[in-house]
Each structure stands twice: as C-alpha cells, then as structure tokens.
Amino acid sequence: MKPFKSLTKSKGRSLLFIFVLMGITAFYFCLPEPLFKSPVSSILLSKEGKLLGAHISKDGQWRFPPLQQIPDKFKTSLVAFEDKRFYKHFGVDPLAIARALNLNLKAGRIVSGGSTISMQVIRLASQNPERSLTEKAIEAFRALRLETRYSKDQIMNYYASHAPFGGNVVGLEAASWRYFGRNPQQLSWAESAMLAVLPNSPALIHPGRKRDTLKAKRDRLLLKLFQQEKLSKLDYQLAIAEPLPEKPNLLPRMAPHLLDTLIAKAKANSTENQKRFNTTIDFVLQSQVNQIAKHYGQLNALKDIHNLAIVVIDNDSFEVKAYVGNAPPLKEKTEHGQAIDLIQRPRSTGSTLKPFLFASMIEQGELLPEMLVADAPIRYTGYRPKNFDRKYRGAVRAKQALASSLNIPAVNMLSYHGVERFLATLKNMGMSTLHRRSREYGLPLILGGAEGTLWDLTGMYANLANRAQQGLDSDHDSDAQQGQMLKPIILQEQKAQTSKQNQLSPASAWMTLQALLEVGRPGSEAYWKRFNSTHKIAWKTGTSFGHRDAWALGTTPKYTVGVWVGNAAGEGRQGMTGVKVAAPILFDVFNRLSLDSKWFRKPIEQMKLVSICKDDGFLANQNCEAKDYYIPASSHFDRVSPNHQRIHLDKLTQLRVHSGCESVAAMEHKDWFVLPPDEAYYYQQFHANYKVMPEWREDCQKVETVASKDSPISLIYPRRNTQIYIPKELTGEKGKTVFQAIHGNPEAQLFWHLNDDFLGTTQTYHEQAIWLAAGKHRLTLVDEKGNRVEQSFQVLSQ
C-alpha cells in the first residue's frame, strides 16, 4: 500500500504542478496582443497644439491617437467618479465589489457593477461583450494581469483613449475637440467632470436625451470634488454655473491638403502607423491665410480661374507657418480639382528662376547688377525669345532686366552662363523636379521650360534670403552662415539641415535681393501702384506660356511667401499673369505678417571695391566716367567696358577723322559711349540723351581704315557658329530660313550675298527669306558706304 500511496502523492503533485503552470501561463498570456486593435484617426495639430484637421478612422469613429499625458483635472474627476481607490488596488477592488453586491441584492437587480478602471479597460479592449458573472470574472482575472504589465498612468491612458463619449466619438481628445473645441489640457473643471461621467451614459450628450440627467451627474461629481477639497469654493461655484455644450462641433478643416499629403508621405515611407502630425503651422496665421485664399478664390472663380496655393516660411527656422494647398471649393463638390495639393504639384516655372541665374552669374564673376545686357531681337537655333510686352530696349542694366522680368536679356545671360551649369545650381538649391538633360531643357529653361513645385521654389527663395542674413545681426548663427542649404520643415521633429552647400556668398544673395526691390513692371504700372507697403519686400512674379500658371514669390529678412494661381487641369486664361492675380495675394499675406523695419544689411566686410563705368556698369577703362562699386570679395569679374571709345573729330565739322586723312594737331579727341548697332537702334528710343557716333568725314571714308568693330551693320540671325535646321511647311515641303539684320542708319540700304551670289537689297526692314541646301554657307552684307559684315553658318540635313 505504501508504494501505491507514494505513487498517488507523486502523481497528485505533478498534476498540481501542471495545473499551477497552466494557470501561470494562462495568466501571463491572458491579455490580447496588442491590447487595442481599433483603427485611429489621423490628426493634424498646429505648433501651439491646436487641431487643424482630422480624418475619421476606418471604422467610422472619431478615435484620436492615444495621448502621451492625461490632464490632471480629468484624472482627478475620473478617479472620484469611477474608482476612488484606483491608485491603491491591484486591478480589482474587493470593497467596491462587496458594495455593489450589497446594493444589487437590496434592489433585486443590477444597479452597480463594482468595476474598476482597469476592469473597464479590459472590457473596452474586448469590445464590450455581454455582461454576465462569467464575463465579470474574466475581466477581473485580466485586470490583475493588466496591473502587473502596465503602470497606473498607462492604464489611465488606455481608458481615456478608448472610452465612448457619445455617438461616434471615442476617446478623451476627440471628445474634447468635438464638444468644447479645444485640447484636453485646456478643459475647465466643469468640462473635465462632464467628460468623466459621460462614458458611464454616453447617450446623454445628445440634445433631447435627458441632458438634465447628465448635468445632475456632473454637478454631483463637482460637489464631491469640492467636498474632497480638490476644488476651491470659487472654482466649484463657477463650475456648476457652466452650461453643457449645445451640440458637437464640426472638427476643423484648416489644412486638409497638408493632412492628405502627410498621410501619403507616411505611407510612401512605410510609416503609415504615424497618425498624429505635430506641425510647425501657426494657427492664427493659418486662419488668416485661409480667409485670404477664400476671398481670392471667389474673385478668381468669376474669371474662370479656380485654383491657388499659398505657403509661408520662417527664414530663420525654416518652419512652414502657413500652408494652403488649394482654394476652398465654392460648392460641396470639387469640380475643379480643389482636392489636389498644388503646393506639391510641378508646374511651369515662368520667370521665377531668373533671380537664381542672376545670383549665380554674380557669384561666378560673370555679371554685375549695374552692367548693361543686350535687349535686342535675337534668334538662337530653333528659338527666338520675346519680351512679355513685345518691346526691345536695346540694352538695360542687369538689375533692371531682372526687376522688369525681361525675357531676352535673361536668355542672353543663360546662353553666356551655360544651361548645364545653371541646371546644377538649381538642383543644388533644392529644385527636385529637374530630371531631363540640359540640352533637352535648352535656353527656354529660364522662361518656364522646366516645371517646379511651389514647395521647392519658396524654399529656394527662403534660402536666398537666409544666405543674405549674414551681417543682419551680429549674433545670427544660422546654418546658412556656414554655407548650409536648408529645406523647409513642416513637422516639428524634422530638421532643416541638408548635406548640400549653399554655393552663393552672402554678398551675391544680398545684391540679388536688392535688385528684386526694384518697382518697375513692364505693361503693369497700374497694378504695381496697388502694392504699396511700408515694409521692404524683395519679390518676383512669373507667368508661364499660354497664361497657365501665375506665380508670385517674395521675401523679407523674417518671412518668405510663395503664391501660385491657375487651373489644376492646366487651362490658360487671358490676362492671368503673376502681377495681376498672384501678386495681390502675396502682398495681402505679407500685410498679415508681423514685419519690422529691418532689411538685409549690406555685407560690406565680404565685399571689395572696384571702379565701374557709370554708363554701362562694366569695369572702367580710361575712356569713361567711373564710380566706385562694391562687389563680392570672391568675384573675379574682369570684363572691361567695350562701349567707351576714344574717337577723333574734325574741330570744324565735328565729323570723324583719322590719321590717314587729318593731322593729329587738327583733331579734337573725345570719349564716346557707343553700343553695337542693333542695341543702339532700340536703346536711343528710350534714352533721348544717347548720341549716335558721328559720321566719317567724306575724305576719310576708306573701307580699309574703318575698324570692323565700327561697322554700323549688325546681324541678328544667323549668329556666329549657328547651326540651322530647315523648317518644314504644313505641306511637308522644306520652308525658307529668315535672316535678319539691322543698320545704325534707318535709311541705309543693305546688299545681301550668299556664298558670293547676290540675293537682293533691303532698306529700313532688313530681312531675307532664303531656301538653303544642307552644308556650310557664308552670308555677306554690305551697305552703300562699303561697310560690311560676314557670317559663316551650317545647315543641317533632316
């Protein structure tokens, strides 16, 4: 018998061990993993923590992502109402259960459940199963495990994030915004108490459903808090006087396009679990810019222009302070693409890239702002640029060409600088949409031949301003001082730094911004007068081909603002230009910003003094009136004025002479400002004080004594080393090539020769349309006085 009894005891102990082990295992693994699987809403918050917008969760509930910290007022109210020994028990409160059992027996029905907050968290995680003693026991068992795994604050957070607050509102944060229009940290005692009692009877929040019962429950809780000395007498009196909210508020939609974009980027970056987006947006400024967008959206809709976008960047921190991805729709249905975030969509850049070419050429020692650049008719291979107003000024200062957004000077400047180099500059400055090779863009790149986003362009202008900040304040220590390119940041956890270096010196950036202060706009003086401001703003407009895109970008030492206006589908509208439709929005936004009187200080310590000609801005020679001028210290600009010559005149006739026809003693010597014939022809139309070079005295007009650079004939097309493709007519036949020239004397005749064969004569308007065969050719032009020019070119076969 003893061996049998020993065996029985041994088996009993084994079974007991197994049961204990099973119980421990069951206890350890009794909680679901994860505890809550319900989908949550995506929410957008301003820098101040205010709600900008939200997307409802996939199950149709307003369930915000869990809060990191629960407000003390709500925690105090909840513990007092639901579980006064919450911080003392281990998930189950025996005293509460005994009290509930006693009350239920006396009432003959269930009037109290005795559940702790921990048990309610388990019930919420189980999606509220039917109530029964068995289910209650399971809740208690799991609540004990919950307490061993999570802290009290974590358990409180689970409850606050998943408790029902009426209708499809789940969680404290969603309820706080829906019922009171602010975040939970800003709730009053009365509001916190109402939300503490609401999950117990969530249907009471709806109008007409015994809301007096809800108020009574709230007031009893407030009285309890007063009796527990959690509230002062004044706080209690003020709290019970507060009314209940009338109805749930609509959640704001202050930046819907930004929220959509951030969700899409999170998904693309495999971080789709990110649901709370803490942005750098300034709530008040965003509200103001939204009103501006609404106002101009309605005005533009009358002109059949339906879309716009606005972005504001802080130049010091590079934080985005306002973001309007599109105009709000006039109707509920978005018939014109108002759902598209046009800040992120590539559009034709128009003239908005011109300041970066200007700055790059200054940096490379190829340009000075005061320098004259050609603005006369010109034709490049397969391309003939024109100014917006179809006028020619002959020659203009580079800074005026930039401020007036003249196209021909910009194309000439890019031709000198090189498309490939400029393309590299744009990419380095943050333009992310340039995916073609330089020869595919060609010279039209500077006039809108590429596409860019408002996001990139505004960031590039902000980098220009940030680079010029050096010297504004002695303690300015931004990354831009160290030559660091910066990128706009929209989320608080982002950093503005990039690995790229800003290739512009502060002096080049400053000189470019100074040029953008100029007020001239060709053909739009009436519109410019509307933009009076007490603050200095460097700004640039742009209009794409066919009036499809209107841009305006401006900057001050503090802010950069970018505006795009157009139609999402790409339809152009007559008269839709940057000056007319985008600039008014730009200046309206600037009027809402807190601007001071500071401007970018001239970085004199990083500049050097040179002498330039007053007339043309090139380095001075001995033949011009000079002035001192500051340029970047690193600049190797070495272009001496080609437009100032020493000429010799007959003292009596004031006609030109030379040593072959007049003695030196009988000559009068003068310094003369003279432009090439094609430039001079148009320049003198805008400058009445321009003096044409005097004619040669009759006995001095020998062809061999006249220097070639003095020829009054100028070829517009073809230029040196031109390669020509023969155009085809609509019939498919080869067309003619049109050659153009200009003469300093409008009445002069020109005699045209191709490969020594006479073509014909022209007067006043010098054009010849010629059929050409493939191969190399030589064009020769001669006037009545024997002045001549020759140009070789090549015709390519197709």
Side-chain angles (χ1 to χ4, degrees):
M1 289 294 292
K2 286 184 178 181
F4 177 77
K5 289 181 178 179
S6 297
L7 183 61
T8 302
K9 288 181 179 180
S10 177
K11 287 182 178 181
R13 284 196 295 269
S14 297
L15 288 172
L16 179 62
F17 176 76
I18 291 171
F19 284 129
V20 170
L21 183 61
M22 289 176 64
I24 293 173
T25 302
F27 180 75
Y28 188 83
F29 292 104
C30 68
L31 294 180
E33 186 63 39
L35 192 60
F36 288 92
K37 300 179 182 179
S38 302
V40 298
S41 303
S42 296
I43 65 172
L44 192 71
L45 300 169
S46 71
K47 189 167 186 178
E48 306 88 349
K50 295 184 177 181
L51 188 67
L52 295 170
H55 278 186
I56 200 165
S57 61
K58 292 180 180 179
D59 60 354
Q61 304 295 306
W62 289 113
R63 185 186 297 107
F64 285 13
L67 285 166
Q68 295 298 315
Q69 188 174 4
I70 306 302
D72 290 337
K73 290 178 182 178
F74 179 78
K75 285 195 291 187
T76 301
S77 300
L78 182 65
V79 169
F81 181 74
E82 288 282 1
D83 188 359
K84 62 182 180 181
R85 284 178 287 276
F86 173 69
Y87 290 103
K88 297 178 181 179
H89 61 65
F90 296 99
V92 177
D93 186 355
L95 294 177
I97 292 176
R99 177 185 57 79
L101 183 60
N102 181 50
L103 291 174
N104 293 338
L105 288 174
K106 287 182 178 180
R109 57 188 178 86
I110 297 177
V111 293
S112 178
S115 294
T116 63
I117 293 175
S118 301
M119 292 172 66
Q120 292 184 55
V121 168
I122 295 298
R123 184 172 181 80
L124 291 171
S126 303
Q127 298 184 341
N128 294 308
E130 292 186 8
R131 298 192 179 192
S132 65
L133 291 177
T134 302
E135 190 59 43
K136 207 72 171 176
I138 293 173
E139 286 178 10
F141 181 70
R142 289 178 174 174
L144 292 172
R145 173 66 181 119
L146 186 72
E147 292 273 350
T148 63
R149 184 169 178 178
Y150 298 103
S151 69
K152 291 289 187 179
D153 284 344
Q154 288 175 311
I155 294 170
M156 179 69 75
N157 192 304
Y158 274 126
Y159 178 86
S161 299
H162 295 277
F165 285 87
N168 65 344
V169 180
V170 177
L172 173 64
E173 189 174 12
S176 180
W177 285 108
R178 283 283 277 166
Y179 300 134
F180 302 110
R182 48 185 177 273
N183 69 52
Q185 302 292 342
Q186 297 174 320
L187 295 177
S188 67
W189 276 109
E191 293 163 345
S192 299
M194 192 205 85
L195 293 181
V197 304
L198 189 56
N200 188 264
S201 303
L204 295 179
I205 190 62
H206 295 284
R209 294 189 183 179
K210 299 183 179 179
R211 285 165 58 83
D212 54 340
T213 303
L214 176 61
K215 186 175 186 306
K217 292 178 71 172
R218 182 203 72 173
D219 291 349
R220 284 197 297 272
L221 174 57
L222 290 171
L223 178 59
K224 182 185 290 188
L225 293 172
F226 172 63
Q227 292 170 343
Q228 293 176 355
E229 298 183 350
K230 304 293 184 183
L231 273 71
S232 66
K233 185 176 181 180
L234 178 60
D235 286 337
Y236 169 67
Q237 291 173 339
L238 292 174
I240 59 173
E242 284 188 32
L244 297 179
E246 291 299 323
K247 61 179 180 178
N249 299 305
L250 293 175
L251 293 181
R253 285 177 50 84
M254 294 184 62
H257 304 93
L258 175 57
L259 180 55
D260 290 343
T261 293
L262 291 176
I263 291 172
K265 286 185 176 181
K267 187 175 182 180
N269 296 331
S270 300
T271 56
E272 56 266 31
N273 289 332
Q274 183 179 5
K275 299 296 184 180
R276 181 184 297 273
F277 298 101
N278 296 299
T279 74
T280 59
I281 297 296
D282 182 292
F283 185 86
V284 173
L285 180 60
Q286 181 71 23
S287 302
Q288 294 173 336
V289 175
N290 279 340
Q291 288 298 317
I292 292 173
K294 182 179 180 180
H295 171 70
Y296 285 98
Q298 292 171 344
L299 288 180
N300 289 337
L302 300 175
K303 307 170 188 175
D304 212 14
I305 303 170
H306 301 286
N307 305 100
L308 61 83
I310 308 170
V311 63
V312 180
I313 296 177
D314 184 304
N315 293 337
D316 291 326
S317 65
F318 258 62
E319 293 180 349
V320 176
K321 294 301 180 183
Y323 189 109
V324 177
N326 211 321
L330 299 180
K331 303 176 183 178
E332 287 190 17
K333 292 184 178 180
T334 56
E335 301 174 355
H336 301 284
Q338 278 90 356
I340 301 172
D341 183 357
L342 289 165
I343 289 177
Q344 305 293 338
R345 288 297 179 96
R347 306 289 301 200
S348 174
T349 55
S351 298
T352 58
L353 301 181
K354 290 176 181 176
F356 305 104
L357 175 61
F358 186 88
S360 184
M361 291 185 72
I362 292 175
E363 187 68 24
Q364 297 298 320
E366 299 170 336
L367 184 78
L368 296 181
E370 296 288 339
M371 193 178 86
L372 287 180
V373 292
D375 181 26
I378 190 169
R379 183 195 296 265
Y380 292 93
T381 303
Y383 181 54
R384 183 178 179 179
K386 295 181 180 178
N387 291 326
F388 186 81
D389 60 2
R390 299 296 192 269
K391 295 179 182 178
Y392 306 102
R393 290 151 185 80
V396 293
R397 297 194 185 276
K399 65 179 185 180
Q400 181 187 348
L402 176 62
S404 300
S405 201
L406 299 179
N407 293 336
I408 294 175
V411 172
N412 290 335
M413 289 161 61
L414 180 57
S415 177
Y416 185 92
H417 182 71
V419 176
E420 190 166 352
R421 273 205 299 167
F422 184 50
L423 203 61
T425 297
L426 294 175
K427 290 179 180 179
N428 184 74
M429 292 202 71
M431 199 165 172
S432 61
T433 52
L434 301 172
H435 306 303
R436 291 181 281 161
R437 292 173 294 181
S438 59
R439 66 181 182 183
E440 295 178 57
Y441 287 109
L443 296 176
L445 170 65
I446 196 64
L447 304 183
E451 291 189 330
T453 65
L454 184 61
W455 179 263
D456 285 351
L457 287 172
T458 310
M460 291 163 68
Y461 275 77
N463 265 293
L464 194 63
N466 200 320
R467 193 62 174 139
Q469 287 277 45
Q470 186 168 354
L472 177 65
D473 296 309
S474 59
D475 60 347
H476 189 79
D477 60 352
S478 72
D479 291 313
Q481 271 196 334
Q482 310 305 320
Q484 186 80 44
M485 286 297 300
L486 302 177
K487 60 182 180 181
I489 57 176
I490 193 71
L491 296 176
Q492 293 180 30
E493 65 268 21
Q494 291 177 329
K495 293 184 178 180
Q497 292 179 340
T498 71
S499 59
K500 296 179 180 179
Q501 295 296 309
N502 195 324
Q503 298 172 350
L504 298 178
S505 66
S508 298
W510 179 85
M511 294 175 86
T512 302
L513 293 176
Q514 286 297 111
L516 292 175
L517 281 174
E518 296 292 334
V519 300
R521 292 292 187 272
S524 58
E525 288 79 5
Y527 286 92
W528 168 254
K529 292 176 182 177
R530 297 168 54 188
F531 307 141
N532 295 325
S533 175
T534 57
H535 304 286
K536 288 185 176 181
I537 299 171
W539 64 293
K540 182 75 184 72
T541 60
T543 305
S544 68
F545 178 77
H547 298 265
R548 293 182 175 91
D549 306 275
W551 303 81
L553 297 111
T555 190
T556 68
K558 180 61 177 172
Y559 294 105
T560 298
V561 178
V563 176
W564 174 90
V565 179
N567 288 308
E571 306 100 329
R573 294 289 179 266
Q574 187 63 35
M576 188 178 76
T577 66
V579 170
K580 289 183 180 179
V581 300
I585 300 175
L586 178 84
F587 281 85
D588 211 344
V589 172
F590 270 117
N591 286 337
R592 310 299 175 93
L593 296 172
S594 299
L595 302 177
D596 53 36
S597 58
K598 284 185 179 180
W599 185 243
F600 302 95
R601 186 178 70 83
K602 188 174 184 177
I604 199 76
E605 64 280 358
Q606 298 190 39
M607 304 178 83
K608 62 184 179 183
L609 198 62
V610 297
S611 182
I612 64 172
C613 292
K614 284 186 176 181
D615 287 334
D616 64 7
F618 287 85
L619 294 181
N621 58 20
Q622 68 274 17
N623 302 321
C624 73
E625 183 182 356
K627 69 175 183 178
D628 290 338
Y629 192 72
Y630 280 98
I631 67 173
S634 59
S635 172
H636 55 268
F637 184 84
D638 59 359
R639 299 173 68 181
V640 179
S641 173
N643 303 313
H644 289 85
Q645 301 178 21
R646 173 63 62 90
I647 65 171
H648 313 292
L649 302 176
D650 182 329
K651 292 182 179 179
L652 294 176
T653 65
Q654 290 296 295
L655 295 175
R656 292 177 69 188
V657 295
H658 52 78
S659 58
C661 60
E662 182 63 270
S663 66
V664 175
M667 295 180 187
E668 182 178 334
H669 312 290
K670 285 190 176 182
D671 296 327
W672 207 276
F673 173 61
V674 57
L675 293 171
D678 55 337
E679 295 179 27
Y681 175 77
Y682 296 101
Y683 185 84
Q684 61 189 344
Q685 297 176 24
F686 289 86
H687 299 82
N689 59 345
Y690 180 78
K691 296 181 180 179
V692 179
M693 186 86 77
E695 294 286 339
W696 290 96
R697 200 173 67 189
E698 187 174 352
D699 60 324
C700 298
Q701 292 183 11
K702 293 183 180 179
V703 175
E704 62 269 19
T705 64
V706 180
S708 60
K709 68 178 180 180
D710 292 338
S711 174
I713 308 169
S714 182
L715 260 177
I716 296 175
Y717 187 78
R719 294 280 184 170
R720 185 168 60 90
N721 298 327
T722 297
Q723 292 181 324
I724 298 174
Y725 286 95
I726 302 299
K728 286 188 176 181
E729 306 292 349
L730 294 176
T731 59
E733 298 178 353
K734 288 186 177 180
K736 293 182 177 181
T737 300
V738 179
F739 292 155
Q740 292 178 301
I742 196 166
H743 198 286
N745 178 7
E747 302 302 322
Q749 282 188 327
L750 287 182
F751 303 91
W752 296 69
H753 302 79
L754 182 67
N755 303 326
D756 296 327
D757 294 328
F758 178 67
L759 297 176
T761 304
T762 58
Q763 188 171 8
T764 307
Y765 299 104
H766 302 290
E767 291 187 356
Q768 283 281 359
I770 309 169
W771 274 294
L772 294 170
K776 293 183 178 180
H777 300 272
R778 186 179 72 257
L779 182 67
T780 304
L781 278 71
V782 183
D783 67 7
E784 308 102 308
K785 296 181 178 180
N787 297 306
R788 64 189 288 138
V789 293
E790 289 187 356
Q791 189 66 270
S792 296
F793 61 93
Q794 184 178 11
V795 175
L796 302 178
S797 59
Q798 290 187 331

